[in-house]
Amino acid sequence: MLSVLIQDEKDKQKWNFLKIKKEDTETRTEEVEDPDTHEIKNVYTEIGLGTYSSVIFEESDPVEYEKKCVELLKTYNLSQLKFVDVKEYGVDLLWDLDKIE
């Protein structure tokens, strides 16, 4: 995921992830039957709840990420921004397997 770090105005050694307001959503699942094959499929829809939360800005699409970065340059100096690729790693929580009986 692509994200943006912004330098703190007071403490220049402190960097924070860009946070945006995002509408809280709920996923609803609906079973739909195909009239030709009679196959039942699940259709997922995201429905807005009307409330908003501050979340860390993350984008997987490079084009949308670039648009957001250009928009940020209207507000911040380039020296106040760091553009980062946050990689997600999976972790296996397997310790001391030798001791399992």
Side-chain angles (χ1 to χ4, degrees), residues 18-67:
L18 172 67
K19 291 192 175 183
I20 58 171
K21 289 201 181 251
K22 190 172 185 181
E23 185 174 14
D24 298 327
T25 59
E26 175 181 80
T27 304
R28 292 209 180 145
T29 307
E30 184 179 344
E31 289 185 353
V32 177
E33 182 179 350
D34 187 349
D36 298 331
T37 62
H38 299 290
E39 179 183 358
I40 295 177
K41 298 180 182 179
N42 288 333
V43 176
Y44 301 97
T45 14
E46 292 286 325
I47 298 178
L49 300 176
T51 58
Y52 291 85
S53 301
S54 291
V55 295
I56 293 175
F57 170 74
E58 294 179 325
E59 183 62 59
S60 57
D61 181 19
V63 175
E64 291 298 318
Y65 179 72
E66 185 178 336
K67 286 179 186 176

Side-chain angles (χ1 to χ4, degrees), residues 7 13 27 30 32 59-60 68-70 75 84 100:
Q7 189 176 34
Q13 294 181 342
T27 304
E30 184 179 344
V32 177
E59 183 62 59
S60 57
K68 184 66 172 179
C69 292
V70 169
T75 308
V84 293
I100 295 177

Side-chain angles (χ1 to χ4, degrees), residues 1-6 18 20 57-85:
M1 290 296 228
L2 301 165
S3 192
V4 179
L5 287 169
I6 299 178
L18 172 67
I20 58 171
F57 170 74
E58 294 179 325
E59 183 62 59
S60 57
D61 181 19
V63 175
E64 291 298 318
Y65 179 72
E66 185 178 336
K67 286 179 186 176
K68 184 66 172 179
C69 292
V70 169
E71 182 183 319
L72 286 172
L73 288 173
K74 295 176 184 174
T75 308
Y76 296 96
N77 292 329
L78 184 58
S79 62
Q80 293 176 293
L81 300 173
K82 286 195 189 226
F83 307 102
V84 293
D85 186 0

